[in-house]
Amino acid sequence: MLEQITAMLALLGVLSLFCQWLGWRLRLPAILPLLLCGLLLGPMLNFLNPDAIFGDLLFPIISLGVAVILFEGALTLNFKEIKEHGGMVTRLVTLGTAITWVCISVATHYLMGFEWLMATLFGALVVVTGPTVIVPMLRSIRPKTELSSILRWEGIVIDPIGAILAVLVFEYIVVAADPTTHVLYALGAMLIVGLGFGSLSGYLVGVILHKNLLPHYLRNTAVLTLMLAVFVGSNLLQEEAGLLSVTVMGIWLANMKGVEIDDILEFKETLTVLLISALFILLAARLNAQALLSLGWQGLVLLAVVMLIARPLSIWCCGVGTSLSSADKWFLSWVAPRGIVAAAISSLFAIKLEKAGVSGAELIVPLVFLIIIGTVVIQSLTAGRWAKKLRVTAGSSQGLLIFGASQFSRALAKILMSKGVTVLLADNNWDNIRLARMDNIAVYFGNPASEHAENHMNMNGIGRVLIMSPYRQLNPLVSFYFQDVFGGEKVYGLNNGDSINSRASARHQLSESYLKRLCLFGDAVSYSKLASLMAKGAMIKSTNLTESFDYSMFMEQYGQAAIPLIYLQEGKVKVISAADTTLNHGVELISLIPTDAKPAAMSSVVANMSDAE
């Protein structure tokens, strides 16, 4: 039996990794292949029976997994960021959540025959969308910047809010189902323990992180361990208070001044693959096919209510007084896929409610999975066409993501931004990011190829990637990642001698496709060369090339020391590489002018003035 459990855990890890890779490769939400994998192994083939294999361990596994999901979601709930992303997002996660909750609860009561409390719990479970399902969908649809931002931030913020709502409703049902316990006393105890213990633990962990009382290599592990301890401790103090405690703890850390949690959020990537993905396969495998089919036409009508009534009503009510057009609102009305938060929490609550003998608990999970399957599949297949029909897709994205926020990158970003070009700088170096922020440049602190970046880095308007960092080990990873996103022809890197290094050591061999992209600004231009020129006082200059002053005259004036970088033509941004040798007139050329090119330029200007006289 022990060997069987070990083998099944290893299989779940491999399948989780494969499903995550398949979703990334097909540019689909990872939840879709995870769901199909679980259904195939469970109800269809009867190969995976989580209850039989894990027995009494299944409930603790699901409980800890849900605690991790809620804690991670709460870490993203920064109140300052909600204010910064406009009134529409704020309305959607407050008024919109309430409208969706009421609509679904009422429909569930009358269509499925649920008691009001159970219908209210189901409504709370399926108000959440989540970035793990929204972001891949937006990447393939590519809607307008404003719409993409609204959907992305709604998914990030509504996860913990919906979770808190579901936890509170569930706790009320649990105490109300216990005839020996006074409802108000039990619910009050849960709120006191959940809010109080969660706030206290969040504050104490924040102090530990702020004062650097832990070595850096223990930060992520310590926070995860302490979070699980808070979850278990809260449940010991008051039954069912653990989920609320870890959610409050995460929100406290996210909003505590002077506490950096970016590396903790990035640590969640490994957990997503090894824990949450495996958890979702287990949940799908536990589905009772007969129970899913027994939902009948009422379940399909409820799905229609969720997609065609609750969501549009929420969008149109929240959109009153905003600058959104009718086409924008109709597009937002169609995109609201449900994700893993709903699946995980519903499965955990269903187990607890079934043990408590609550009527209708056995239908909660099949109904939630029906909503997940319906929204993810239908909207993934149709949202792109709907966006094109409404004409809300973004045009050709001309913006640049620059990996490496050095002095050169910041100077280039500033001149491009002055020309109306969207620029985003990403770097692992905090000092570079801080200086970029002081110049009012949009930044992302961390690895731009990470899952955290995928969910939080604003890529709206970005169509090309320039890799200009000194991180030789990380540059290829970033390059390959964005080649899959944008295509190889839109990702460029500096020739930092990687081709030479790759020949010198077989252990660091780099692919020919990667080496061919190392031609940014020319074969002879490297990071060290740009940094050296900037340190010596080189300047980035914008020059209009015309018939009377073409590219040949530009090179004659500044000499071979000048380095052409980018040119703008009719609203299009063109990145100069080794393949570019001449430029036509009618473009605006942005180039790096070293200090030794300035005397020649000044002599040319003086000569022109003498001729004019």
Side-chain angles (χ1 to χ4, degrees):
M1 184 65 182
L2 184 60
E3 291 78 8
Q4 185 181 10
I5 294 176
T6 304
M8 197 57 64
L9 287 174
L11 177 62
L12 283 173
V14 173
L15 290 175
S16 300
L17 181 61
F18 173 75
C19 291
Q20 288 281 347
W21 174 84
L22 189 62
W24 164 76
R25 192 67 181 175
L26 299 178
R27 299 189 181 184
L28 293 172
I31 192 174
L32 195 54
L34 287 169
L35 176 64
L36 295 176
C37 179
L39 292 174
L40 180 64
L41 295 177
M44 294 182 184
L45 300 179
N46 291 319
F47 176 76
L48 177 60
N49 187 339
D51 295 274
I53 294 173
F54 297 101
D56 293 337
L57 289 175
L58 182 62
F59 180 75
I61 290 173
I62 296 176
S63 297
L64 294 178
V66 171
V68 172
I69 293 172
L70 292 185
F71 179 68
E72 186 277 332
L75 285 175
T76 65
L77 187 54
N78 190 307
F79 297 132
K80 181 181 178 182
E81 290 181 345
I82 299 177
K83 295 178 181 178
E84 289 177 351
H85 287 85
M88 186 62 181
V89 174
T90 305
R91 292 183 189 181
L92 281 176
V93 299
T94 51
L95 175 62
T97 298
I99 292 173
T100 304
W101 183 26
V102 171
C103 286
I104 296 176
S105 300
V106 171
T108 304
H109 172 71
Y110 288 107
L111 285 171
M112 307 305 301
F114 279 24
E115 295 291 335
W116 276 112
L117 282 178
M118 289 298 292
T120 303
L121 175 62
F122 175 77
L125 287 169
V126 294
V127 297
V128 296
T129 53
T132 56
V133 286
I134 285 290
V135 172
M137 195 176 293
L138 293 178
R139 188 186 300 141
S140 59
I141 299 171
R142 301 184 72 84
K144 293 191 302 187
T145 299
E146 184 180 8
L147 300 181
S148 179
S149 181
I150 289 172
L151 288 171
R152 191 168 58 89
W153 279 101
E154 179 198 10
I156 292 171
V157 175
I158 205 172
D159 254 1
I161 291 178
I164 293 172
L165 186 63
V167 168
L168 292 176
V169 175
F170 166 76
E171 289 176 349
Y172 182 82
I173 292 175
V174 170
V175 297
D178 187 355
T180 63
T181 305
H182 192 278
V183 173
L184 293 179
Y185 169 80
L187 185 60
M190 286 182 184
L191 291 175
I192 291 173
V193 173
L195 296 174
F197 196 43
S199 299
L200 178 62
S201 57
Y203 172 75
L204 293 177
V205 172
V207 170
I208 292 173
L209 296 177
H210 178 64
K211 294 187 176 181
N212 294 316
L213 299 180
L214 291 170
H216 189 271
Y217 74 94
L218 278 181
R219 283 168 58 94
N220 296 335
T221 306
V223 171
L224 175 63
T225 305
L226 291 172
M227 180 273 296
L228 295 176
V230 168
F231 172 70
V232 175
S234 296
N235 283 335
L236 291 176
L237 289 174
Q238 176 62 45
E239 192 175 358
E240 311 301 344
L243 294 179
L244 181 58
S245 291
V246 297
T247 305
V248 173
M249 177 183 175
I251 294 174
W252 192 282
L253 283 174
N255 293 276
M256 191 170 177
K257 292 182 179 180
V259 178
E260 291 294 334
I261 59 172
D262 290 329
D263 54 340
I264 298 172
L265 278 169
E266 193 168 345
F267 177 63
K268 177 250 179 188
E269 292 180 47
T270 304
L271 292 178
T272 300
V273 176
L274 296 180
L275 175 62
I276 300 176
S277 300
L279 176 64
F280 196 70
I281 294 177
L282 286 175
L283 299 179
R286 289 188 74 249
L287 271 179
N288 187 326
Q290 192 62 38
L292 194 60
L293 294 174
S294 67
L295 297 175
W297 64 268
Q298 294 95 332
L300 296 177
V301 173
L302 181 59
L303 174 62
V305 170
V306 171
M307 297 178 64
L308 303 177
I309 297 179
R311 178 64 174 180
L313 183 60
S314 170
I315 292 295
W316 283 85
C317 288
C318 294
V320 173
T322 66
S323 60
L324 295 174
S325 65
S326 296
D328 295 338
K329 293 174 185 176
W330 281 121
F331 173 73
L332 294 174
S333 298
W334 187 242
V335 182
R338 271 51 178 184
I340 194 169
V341 172
I345 299 178
S346 65
S347 298
L348 176 62
F349 288 177
I351 293 174
K352 293 184 176 183
L353 292 173
E354 286 175 15
K355 288 183 178 180
V358 177
S359 175
E362 70 281 358
L363 292 179
I364 283 286
V365 174
L367 200 54
V368 168
F369 271 84
L370 175 64
I371 302 301
I372 293 173
I373 295 170
T375 54
V376 171
V377 173
I378 295 174
Q379 293 175 5
S380 293
L381 295 176
T382 59
R385 293 172 186 162
W386 183 235
K388 291 179 180 177
K389 182 177 178 62
L390 294 172
R391 297 180 180 179
V392 295
T393 54
S396 178
S397 299
Q398 298 298 311
L400 299 173
L401 166 64
I402 301 177
F403 178 47
S406 63
Q407 180 186 2
F408 170 79
S409 298
R410 298 194 300 271
L412 178 61
K414 285 199 293 185
I415 196 168
L416 286 171
M417 291 168 57
S418 69
K419 307 297 180 183
V421 179
T422 301
V423 180
L424 173 64
L425 297 184
D427 204 315
N428 290 333
N429 186 308
W430 174 249
D431 288 333
N432 286 342
I433 292 295
R434 178 179 57 83
L435 292 171
R437 283 179 173 173
M438 292 175 64
D439 288 330
N440 294 318
I441 303 172
V443 296
Y444 174 77
F445 176 50
N447 177 7
S450 66
E451 183 180 339
H452 180 263
E454 181 177 336
N455 292 333
H456 293 81
M457 188 168 64
N458 188 357
M459 293 290 289
N460 294 330
I462 303 297
R464 291 175 180 80
V465 179
L466 308 184
I467 300 174
M468 301 191 295
S469 87
Y471 315 125
R472 293 177 183 268
Q473 300 299 322
L474 190 54
N475 286 346
L477 298 178
V478 176
S479 177
F480 291 136
Y481 176 85
F482 284 105
Q483 283 183 37
D484 289 317
V485 175
F486 294 114
E489 71 282 357
K490 293 186 178 181
V491 179
Y492 298 88
L494 292 171
N495 185 0
N496 292 328
D498 291 317
S499 58
I500 298 174
N501 292 339
S502 65
R503 298 189 194 101
S505 174
R507 292 171 55 192
H508 298 286
Q509 284 285 344
L510 299 173
S511 69
E512 290 297 326
S513 62
Y514 171 68
L515 295 176
K516 288 179 180 178
R517 309 311 305 166
L518 301 181
C519 56
L520 181 60
F521 310 143
D523 288 331
V525 180
S526 64
Y527 175 85
S528 58
K529 181 175 180 178
L530 293 175
S532 175
L533 291 174
M534 293 298 293
K536 293 177 182 178
M539 298 180 60
I540 297 181
K541 176 182 174 61
S542 173
T543 307
N544 288 314
L545 300 183
T546 62
E547 291 186 10
S548 59
F549 188 80
D550 58 15
Y551 181 67
S552 62
M553 297 178 68
F554 169 84
M555 293 304 295
E556 180 181 348
Q557 178 170 325
Y558 291 104
Q560 295 298 321
I563 302 176
L565 305 172
I566 290 171
Y567 65 92
L568 311 177
Q569 185 176 26
E570 298 178 353
K572 300 287 183 69
V573 178
K574 305 291 184 180
V575 179
I576 295 177
S577 64
D580 299 308
T581 54
T582 59
L583 298 174
N584 296 323
H585 57 78
V587 305
E588 187 173 359
L589 175 64
I590 298 174
S591 54
L592 179 66
I593 309 297
T595 51
D596 55 5
K598 291 179 181 178
M602 290 302 297
S603 299
S604 176
V605 171
V606 172
N608 290 336
M609 291 176 62
S610 300
D611 292 341
E613 293 175 356

